[in-house]
Amino acid sequence: MAFQKAVKGTILVGGGALATVLGLSQFAHYRRKQVSLAYVEAAGYLTEPVNREPPSREAQLMTLKNTPEFDILVIGGGATGCGCALDAVTRGLKTALVERDDFSSGTSSRSTKLIHGGVRYLQKAIMNLDVEQYRMVKEALHERANLLEIAPHLSAPLPIMLPLYKWWQLPYYWVGIKMYDLVAGSQCLKSSYVLSKSRALEHFPMLQKDKLVGAIVYYDGQHNDARMNLAIALTAARYGAATANYMEVVSLLKKTDPETGKERVSGARCKDVLTGQEFDVRAKCVINASGPFTDSVRKMDDKNVVPICQPSAGVHIVMPGYYSPENMGLLDPATSDGRVIFFLPWEKMTIAGTTDTPTDVTHHPIPSEEDINFILNEVRNYLSSDVEVRRGDVLAAWSGIRPLVTDPKSADTQSISRNHVVDISDSGLITIAGGKWTTYRSMAEDTVNAAVKFHNLNAGPSRTVGLFLQGGKDWSPTLYIRLVQDYGLESEVAQHLAKTYGDKAFEVAKMASVTGKRWPVVGVRLVSEFPYIEAEVKYGIKEYACTAVDMISRRTRLAFLNVQAAEEALPRIVELMGRELNWSELRKQCVTYDSDGSTVATSWSSQEELETATRFLYYEMGYKSRTEQLTDSTEISLLPSDIDRYKKRFHKFDEDEKGFITIVDVQRVLESINVQMDENTLHEILCEVDLNKNGQVELHEFLQLMSAVQKGRVSGSRLAILMKTAEENLDRRVPIPVDRSCGGL
């Protein structure tokens, strides 16, 4: 069947044409009526979930094996795939979903964390009189409002500042932002407004002051993307969908249609990645929602098919929270190469991105140093010279692959629309491609509509508008207070649990361990500076977490916030998961790797969780960049006066003038000022600077470290801080702080 665009549902039919005929104000009124009707219709058809809690993974696998035929099998556990499963199962269709890795392990967990209509797409729609772009923005703004309503614990409105440095920009951008409000209509989160220079600096004191003439503030939504994706998957499971992560599609099954004599896709041969077991999952319809791997699945159906996706890599970095206000984001509408950069507060840190570069499809995208430095340079352009933007302050970095829909002949990903298409092959494989996070629900609706029509399935209309996701129904902004009062949790931990799990936070609190302290009564933290607690590891297993990587990156977000903190928490996480899942010591201690760093999955039960997760942090979350900032080939670029100063500091530890210091030397200095530190901690501190790994820190290694610190390439070095503090306090006998600082990679 020819490549065809998705047919929109009732709410979205002819949006652009109607806007032209009726005018924007009348069209907005029409849309409000349609949305209202949609909510009434959905509410009339909804039933309660069939499961109070999602079934275990083992139970889901049994359902996949023993069901003779499903109505719909979805391939892909990202936002769109899980959205398709939820849409289908709530229509009464017998639904299955399989995902090769973990839910949200790909692009859906590596976004900018925004729920937005797309200001720049509206600009293109207006400048180019592009009705398709306008429809996309309109649809996204409707979906933004719906997502904020159905998952209030995981999402919230966020004000975003657009700083202006030329007077002509004020009316130009003001008109554009007001159009954004107008297109949103009654679903506008809050009205945009203009700030004077002084008021802009009050709200965003880190902003570059020179030539600033004012700012415009508008509102979009922000969410915890991986947790949102997981909430969709869990909700689908509660409504009866057989969902399973770590289930790889090996091949598509086909059978001959007795009426037409043509071959039809009739299911998939699936492999349990954890055990290696294979079995068939049969279905009347198969939906391909595999994101960047869309064409790989399509080639299983037809090896000669023309690709419809052009992957694009988007890199983000995370920096300490002091780089941005707690509740105000920043938009750079025109970077040095014409791209858009967001600079946003997220989970008490600051996220910056993204890049947009054509890339190859891979299961393990790696953020490049070039992209990291590009983002840092753009951030420097907008922040005050008083704020030193340091490479060493990058706490985490990642790359996500966007599955953009494109003409195969196009090479410019910047001009490609994020709109989605539905493709139906001659054998009946339904493919959903393109789109954006915000519109996952409408994409799923369009896809299931196409599946129902083509395969003549017995199903009603979509019922997902207004359908609360897991944890959202009984959540309230004050829910965390009950957690503090009823369980004795720290306020910060309680707030975190409430906004992560919603009304399911009480179940996590019930699992929390007693601290043995006066306060908090329960809730042992995994790492000191983040509110994640050990009970979340136990609860995460109920949410289908199978590996330590699942836990540090998608059940908690430690890996995305601070890779060093994630690495610190890993041993305890592996211990807790091993206890709950009965992992053998072999699984905890042995692992092998291919030459490219990929895990050799000959037998999943023999994989060593700690090493695998460390490898993930090293390559995919930017930890590799840390070692690249300080190597044995790092140049020493210090003034002679600085070299003399650092030599004197070094020799306070190297009394014998050996030319190096060891753990014994550091212990001697610490004991002289009555400070005790365990040997393992000292070993870790010296290993950070022991570049040639000979068990000692030579003078030239120390000078390389201090040179990197001065350049901003390294920050938070524990050895540098320890030696400086010791030098300053040897006579005063002041205790030395040795906790890992907020320094980055």
Side-chain angles (χ1 to χ4, degrees):
M1 182 173 289
F3 182 64
Q4 50 186 245
K5 289 194 174 180
V7 179
K8 301 297 181 185
T10 304
I11 298 176
L12 300 172
V13 165
L18 279 173
T20 305
V21 174
L22 297 177
L24 283 174
S25 61
Q26 290 181 327
F27 181 61
H29 175 67
Y30 168 81
R31 281 283 289 160
R32 286 196 295 273
K33 287 179 66 178
Q34 292 296 93
V35 170
S36 176
L37 287 173
Y39 273 89
V40 171
E41 181 182 58
Y45 280 89
L46 287 180
T47 59
E48 289 297 314
V50 297
N51 301 306
R52 184 177 178 277
E53 297 295 334
S56 67
R57 183 174 183 273
E58 290 71 22
Q60 297 284 46
L61 291 178
M62 289 300 295
T63 303
L64 287 172
K65 290 178 187 177
N66 297 332
T67 301
E69 186 179 53
F70 289 94
D71 292 317
I72 285 181
L73 168 63
V74 182
I75 302 173
T80 304
C82 291
C84 288
L86 180 58
D87 188 281
V89 75
T90 52
R91 298 191 195 203
L93 294 170
K94 194 178 296 183
T95 305
L97 179 146
V98 292
E99 159 60 42
R100 179 188 181 276
D101 205 298
D102 185 27
F103 301 116
S104 196
S105 59
T107 309
S108 295
S109 64
R110 306 180 190 218
S111 72
T112 312
K113 323 303 178 193
L114 284 178
I115 310 170
H116 63 133
V119 174
R120 59 174 173 157
Y121 301 138
L122 182 60
Q123 180 188 28
K124 289 181 180 180
I126 295 172
M127 299 297 290
N128 301 328
L129 299 177
D130 189 333
V131 174
E132 189 65 26
Q133 290 272 12
Y134 170 80
R135 287 177 179 171
M136 185 186 69
V137 175
K138 187 74 180 178
E139 176 185 56
L141 289 172
H142 164 61
E143 294 301 325
R144 179 188 70 179
N146 181 65
L147 197 50
L148 288 167
E149 179 176 341
I150 65 177
H153 57 305
L154 292 169
S155 59
L158 176 70
I160 300 175
M161 180 182 290
L162 180 63
L164 307 172
Y165 289 91
K166 295 178 181 178
W167 282 108
W168 67 263
Q169 293 177 328
L170 182 57
Y172 176 79
Y173 285 116
W174 182 84
V175 170
I177 294 298
K178 282 300 176 185
M179 283 293 295
Y180 194 61
D181 291 348
L182 179 61
V183 174
S186 64
Q187 296 173 329
C188 179
L189 302 180
K190 290 185 181 180
S191 183
S192 57
Y193 55 90
V194 176
L195 291 175
S196 65
K197 176 179 179 178
S198 60
R199 290 284 291 163
L201 291 172
E202 283 181 29
H203 285 282
F204 210 119
M206 309 83 172
L207 208 56
Q208 173 63 258
K209 305 172 186 178
D210 297 343
K211 298 183 180 180
L212 181 70
V213 299
I216 298 174
V217 176
Y218 73 98
Y219 286 80
D220 257 325
Q222 188 177 52
H223 69 152
N224 186 334
D225 53 3
R227 292 293 317 183
M228 186 73 80
N229 193 157
L230 184 62
I232 301 167
L234 294 171
T235 306
R238 289 183 62 208
Y239 273 88
T243 60
N245 54 353
Y246 293 101
M247 287 295 296
E248 180 180 5
V249 171
V250 178
S251 62
L252 296 178
L253 304 177
K254 292 187 177 183
K255 66 180 182 181
T256 302
D257 187 332
E259 295 182 5
T260 63
K262 294 182 178 179
E263 275 198 332
R264 295 290 190 194
V265 173
S266 59
R269 181 73 175 175
C270 298
K271 176 183 177 181
D272 186 341
V273 176
L274 304 183
T275 64
Q277 183 183 15
E278 293 188 13
F279 55 87
D280 293 339
V281 178
R282 299 195 175 274
K284 298 173 184 175
C285 170
V286 175
I287 293 176
N288 171 19
S290 53
F293 301 95
T294 290
D295 288 324
S296 297
V297 176
R298 293 175 73 236
K299 286 182 182 297
M300 290 182 185
D301 177 37
D302 178 3
K303 63 181 180 180
N304 298 317
V305 73
V306 177
I308 62 173
C309 282
Q310 180 172 314
S312 172
V315 171
H316 294 81
I317 63 174
V318 167
M319 306 177 78
Y322 55 71
Y323 272 93
S324 65
E326 190 173 339
N327 194 37
M328 179 71 75
L330 183 75
L331 168 64
D332 177 0
T335 62
S336 56
D337 67 350
R339 292 184 280 196
V340 172
I341 288 286
F342 286 99
F343 193 61
L344 311 167
W346 183 67
E347 299 289 325
K348 298 188 178 180
M349 295 295 178
T350 301
I351 184 172
T354 178
T355 58
D356 195 358
T357 310
T359 185
D360 295 326
V361 176
T362 172
H363 289 286
H364 306 287
I366 298 173
S368 70
E369 187 66 21
E370 180 183 358
D371 283 334
I372 292 172
N373 285 320
F374 167 79
I375 296 172
L376 287 173
N377 287 332
E378 295 303 323
V379 170
R380 289 188 186 101
N381 292 337
Y382 272 86
L383 295 189
S384 168
S385 57
D386 296 337
V387 180
E388 182 185 359
V389 180
R390 304 181 299 181
R391 173 62 182 82
D393 282 338
V394 176
L395 303 172
W398 67 85
S399 176
I401 301 177
R402 303 186 193 93
L404 307 183
V405 182
T406 179
D407 179 340
K409 298 177 182 178
S410 173
D412 180 11
T413 62
Q414 289 175 255
S415 64
I416 297 172
S417 169
R418 262 59 170 181
N419 210 346
H420 66 275
V421 295
V422 173
D423 172 48
I424 306 176
S425 73
D426 290 338
S427 60
L429 175 67
I430 309 287
T431 295
I432 172 66
K436 54 193 289 187
W437 222 121
T438 307
T439 59
Y440 85 90
R441 193 213 62 83
S442 63
M443 293 166 62
E445 179 181 345
D446 292 344
T447 306
V448 178
N449 282 345
V452 168
K453 182 177 180 180
F454 185 86
H455 290 278
N456 196 27
L457 302 176
N458 184 20
S462 176
R463 301 164 189 174
T464 52
V465 175
L467 177 67
F468 279 106
L469 298 182
Q470 169 104 336
K473 187 174 182 180
D474 295 321
W475 175 87
S476 73
T478 57
L479 184 145
Y480 78 94
I481 296 175
R482 289 174 56 197
L483 292 171
V484 175
Q485 294 175 337
D486 294 352
Y487 295 95
L489 288 160
E490 291 176 82
S491 180
E492 183 186 12
V493 170
Q495 290 181 59
H496 154 69
L497 294 181
K499 74 175 187 177
T500 302
Y501 302 95
D503 58 30
K504 299 295 181 183
F506 296 100
E507 297 182 20
V508 184
K510 290 175 185 176
M511 296 180 175
S513 304
V514 175
T515 63
K517 302 176 183 177
R518 181 185 61 80
W519 189 263
V521 179
V522 300
V524 178
R525 295 195 181 208
L526 287 169
V527 65
S528 60
E529 70 264 45
F530 289 95
Y532 299 107
I533 60 175
E534 291 183 356
E536 293 181 76
V537 178
K538 300 175 185 177
Y539 191 77
I541 293 171
K542 294 180 63 177
E543 297 180 319
Y544 304 129
C546 298
T547 70
V549 172
D550 298 344
M551 202 65 69
I552 61 174
S553 58
R554 293 174 288 275
R555 302 313 181 276
T556 72
R557 305 310 306 275
L558 266 176
F560 284 81
L561 295 171
N562 189 317
V563 292
Q564 288 179 280
E567 185 186 43
E568 273 188 22
L570 267 177
R572 182 58 176 161
I573 288 173
V574 170
E575 181 183 350
L576 290 169
M577 292 188 75
R579 189 183 304 163
E580 295 292 320
L581 297 174
N582 298 316
W583 287 346
S584 66
E585 288 302 313
L586 180 64
R587 181 181 173 105
K588 293 178 185 176
Q589 295 177 2
C590 299
V591 69
T592 56
Y593 297 102
D594 214 340
S595 57
D596 64 352
S598 301
T599 304
V600 179
T602 53
S603 175
W604 187 268
S605 63
S606 68
Q607 301 307 307
E608 194 281 312
E609 288 298 317
L610 191 60
E611 290 295 328
T612 302
T614 302
R615 201 81 171 181
F616 167 78
L617 293 173
Y618 185 79
Y619 285 105
E620 296 186 49
M621 300 310 299
Y623 211 171
K624 181 174 183 287
S625 299
R626 179 180 183 276
T627 58
E628 292 174 348
Q629 303 312 309
L630 181 64
T631 67
D632 54 10
S633 61
T634 298
E635 290 186 11
I636 299 175
S637 302
L638 296 168
L639 295 173
S641 58
D642 288 331
I643 292 177
D644 290 340
R645 177 160 55 93
Y646 293 137
K647 280 183 176 179
K648 289 178 182 178
R649 183 178 301 172
F650 186 84
H651 288 309
K652 287 184 182 294
F653 288 77
D654 180 24
E655 278 189 341
D656 303 330
E657 297 188 2
K658 306 181 297 296
F660 61 86
I661 58 175
T662 64
I663 290 177
V664 174
D665 296 314
V666 178
Q667 282 178 326
R668 174 183 49 76
V669 174
L670 295 181
E671 288 172 1
S672 72
I673 55 175
N674 299 320
V675 173
Q676 299 295 322
M677 192 182 307
D678 69 89
E679 189 170 328
N680 287 336
T681 301
L682 284 175
H683 178 72
E684 289 176 5
I685 291 173
L686 263 66
C687 277
E688 292 174 359
V689 188
D690 180 13
L691 304 179
N692 57 16
K693 304 304 176 187
N694 63 353
Q696 56 197 31
V697 176
E698 281 88 2
L699 175 59
H700 75 273
E701 289 175 324
F702 178 66
L703 293 177
Q704 286 175 317
L705 167 65
M706 299 315 299
S707 179
V709 168
Q710 274 200 8
K711 289 180 178 180
R713 298 183 67 82
V714 171
S715 65
S717 167
R718 291 189 285 179
L719 182 64
I721 294 170
L722 184 150
M723 293 180 70
K724 178 183 178 183
T725 310
E727 182 183 49
E728 294 172 347
N729 297 287
L730 272 171
D731 296 329
R732 289 180 288 170
R733 304 295 190 263
V734 175
I736 301 172
V738 294
D739 290 340
R740 175 173 46 74
S741 78
C742 65
L745 304 180

